[in-house]
Amino acid sequence: LSDAQCLPIIERTKQKRLRQQQQGNHKQESLCEFYQLTVETCPHYLLLDSSRIPNGETRLKCFPPIRSPSNREDLWTHGIHTTLVDMIASDHSPCEPHLRHMESGNMRKAWGGLSGLQYQLPATFSEAHRRGYSVDSMALWWSENPSKLVPGMHRTRGTIETGKHADLCWWDPNYEGSPHSYQKEYHRWTGTSYYADTTTLRGRVLGTWLRGTQVYDGIHDQHLEAPGKLLLSSEH
């Protein structure tokens, strides 16, 4: 969601859904799930606005576009704060550097979509912290609520509880600076992410664990061997 003008429609839809639940008006569970409405937005819609985009900055071209300061404020006030927006997602959209048209600054020809998957947590937390949100809110937007999208996933992922997968992130909420100052860019095509060296962001990943095994050392900026497992449709 990028346009805050959609929020009244979302609110009415969710209120209707709530009334149906209270009245017990769901004959089939599949029908109940079909009408479940979830809403996500992206860090760049919460961190940036049109007034902060330099002319010809093609790295910030995206669809839908980054909108006005008042729209960004409404996303926080009437979307995030009211929980009409359930989660935040990356919208990571990488491309070969020449497709960005960074040298010419041609916004019309440039690729649409931001590249910056590894910077999504500090991009989110920078503005969230300024508005008084905590790490608990980050965990809700980025982990707990998304785990409820896939049936059964929340039983093994999404929160830190006994019996769940130990997929963990060690987060420093006090760091403030350019991500480029403590880690190199790990995207396939480097130099095309606006977040890497042109912004001051708050927060830093100091470590990442997958099922209890450390896969990233953020203090030394080193990736470790990942104990991966193919997820099949039959796994819950």
Side-chain angles (χ1 to χ4, degrees):
L1 178 71
S2 72
D3 191 345
Q5 294 186 69
C6 297
L7 288 170
I9 301 174
I10 293 170
E11 182 177 20
R12 290 195 296 270
T13 303
K14 287 196 171 188
Q15 287 177 345
K16 180 179 180 181
R17 173 79 179 119
L18 179 61
R19 288 195 298 269
Q20 290 175 336
Q21 288 179 325
Q22 293 172 342
Q23 296 169 1
N25 186 22
H26 46 86
K27 298 180 179 180
Q28 300 179 7
E29 185 63 25
S30 59
L31 184 63
C32 177
E33 293 177 356
F34 179 80
Y35 284 106
Q36 184 67 49
L37 175 64
T38 59
V39 182
E40 69 176 47
T41 190
C42 303
H44 45 276
Y45 298 131
L46 299 173
L47 177 67
L48 304 171
D49 59 63
S50 56
S51 69
R52 299 173 61 184
I53 300 178
N55 290 334
E57 181 50 87
T58 59
R59 293 177 297 178
L60 293 180
K61 177 183 176 180
C62 57
F63 300 108
I66 296 170
R67 302 178 188 272
S68 67
S70 61
N71 181 82
R72 181 173 71 107
E73 187 65 32
D74 286 343
L75 285 177
W76 277 106
T77 304
H78 304 300
I80 296 292
H81 183 70
T82 63
T83 70
L84 287 178
V85 174
D86 306 278
M87 63 198 77
I88 301 175
S90 72
D91 193 33
H92 179 56
S93 182
C95 71
E96 295 183 54
H98 74 274
L99 296 177
R100 294 281 179 196
H101 291 275
M102 293 171 57
E103 293 184 1
S104 67
N106 191 322
M107 298 292 283
R108 185 180 296 274
K109 292 183 178 180
W111 178 274
L114 273 69
S115 173
L117 184 61
Q118 75 186 71
Y119 309 117
Q120 298 305 290
L121 292 183
T124 303
F125 190 66
S126 296
E127 188 64 20
H129 177 269
R130 190 179 73 82
R131 294 171 180 269
Y133 291 95
S134 67
V135 175
D136 291 340
S137 298
M138 292 279 288
L140 182 69
W141 301 329
W142 276 101
S143 184
E144 183 175 354
N145 283 347
S147 75
K148 299 174 183 178
L149 281 177
V150 180
M153 181 177 285
H154 68 281
R155 293 197 292 267
T156 58
R157 300 171 180 85
T159 55
I160 301 176
E161 297 180 59
T162 302
K164 290 192 174 184
H165 294 176
D167 300 336
L168 307 172
C169 170
W170 180 14
W171 177 251
D172 177 7
N174 298 315
Y175 176 85
E176 193 167 11
S178 169
H180 187 69
S181 65
Y182 63 85
Q183 66 178 188
K184 61 183 178 181
E185 189 176 353
Y186 287 100
H187 301 124
R188 179 180 179 184
W189 295 293
T190 60
T192 63
S193 176
Y194 177 80
Y195 297 118
D197 56 9
T198 58
T199 54
T200 296
L201 300 178
R202 189 178 186 95
R204 172 183 174 182
V205 175
L206 297 178
T208 307
W209 283 259
L210 176 64
R211 295 195 179 188
T213 300
Q214 188 171 10
V215 295
Y216 176 65
D217 176 359
I219 296 177
H220 302 98
D221 193 26
Q222 294 179 348
H223 285 81
L224 310 175
E225 185 177 354
K229 179 182 178 182
L230 181 64
L231 294 179
L232 303 177
S233 60
S234 60
E235 181 178 334
H236 297 290

